[in-house]
Amino acid sequence: MEHKNNDCNNLTPEVIKKLVESAHEAKKMSHSPYSKFRVGAAILTEEDKVIKGCNVENASYTLGVCAERCAIFKAISDGHKKFKALAIACDVIGLNLAPCGACRQIMHEFGGDYLIVLSQPDFTYKTITMNELLPFGFDDSDLNREKINYTN
Ligand code: THU
């Protein structure tokens, strides 16, 4: 995937840089003894609050959760539903980690215009909007479309 640097949502480079730093801080909390793959995420809410999350793995492997979903669930449960940006951090040199498909769908639930910041361990980053990251996400507009009749 080709990512480009853009400055949608009028976020300054300083604000984005701080969010990237928060994602790297969150990464330090990662519980990833099985994959040894630390991930951190930091959300900038509409009220300019930063909410962090990390991946949390489990000995029952499939129960682990990604950093992005962890951050989103924390934000939602703290009453924040509108996001300006979400930054992601991992340890892989040269990789602007992009969220997995499951996380993209969860992220899509909360809007298409917010900025996704894909950072590297050296704190450089690329940005992409949520709509660019998941162009055909499923949402409530699909649930409410006219349906064929059925019986069961
Ligand atoms: N992981 C994330 O937290 N976010 C991603 O975007 C990709 C993968 C986690 C899940 C698991 O704990 C570890 O990274 C290895 O897959």
Side-chain angles (χ1 to χ4, degrees):
M1 190 193 304
E2 190 60 36
H3 307 304
K4 56 183 185 285
N5 278 311
N6 63 38
D7 61 0
C8 82
N9 288 348
N10 298 320
L11 296 176
T12 64
E14 289 70 33
V15 167
I16 295 177
K17 193 168 161 271
K18 272 188 133 181
L19 197 64
V20 166
E21 285 168 6
S22 294
H24 283 269
E25 279 298 311
K27 183 179 70 177
K28 293 181 188 161
M29 301 300 153
S30 166
H31 178 71
S32 44
Y34 310 106
S35 71
K36 309 226 181 310
F37 194 96
R38 301 188 306 169
V39 185
I43 293 173
L44 182 65
T45 72
E46 197 177 53
E47 306 85 4
D48 289 322
K49 201 173 167 9
V50 174
I51 296 179
K52 295 184 281 190
C54 63
N55 56 333
V56 183
E57 298 182 350
N58 194 277
S60 178
Y61 293 165
T62 58
L63 300 182
V65 71
C66 292
E68 298 89 331
R69 269 177 282 169
C70 175
I72 286 187
F73 295 155
K74 280 180 67 185
I76 298 305
S77 58
D78 273 355
H80 304 285
K81 271 197 172 165
K82 290 194 175 153
F83 308 150
K84 288 183 179 174
L86 185 156
I88 304 162
C90 75
D91 294 317
V92 181
I93 298 162
L95 176 67
N96 293 89
L97 179 70
C100 77
C103 286
R104 291 180 201 205
Q105 175 62 29
I106 298 287
M107 291 155 70
H108 169 81
E109 176 78 10
F110 302 102
D113 293 331
Y114 65 101
L115 198 67
I116 310 304
V117 185
L118 311 174
S119 77
Q120 293 194 20
D122 65 2
F123 293 75
T124 58
Y125 62 85
K126 292 187 175 181
T127 60
I128 186 171
T129 67
M130 191 52 230
N131 274 333
E132 288 170 327
L133 192 62
L134 185 65
F136 297 102
F138 181 79
D139 55 42
D140 61 338
S141 68
D142 298 309
L143 287 173
N144 296 326
R145 287 180 207 277
E146 191 182 357
K147 296 197 283 283
I148 59 167
N149 292 319
Y150 65 94
T151 50
N152 70 353

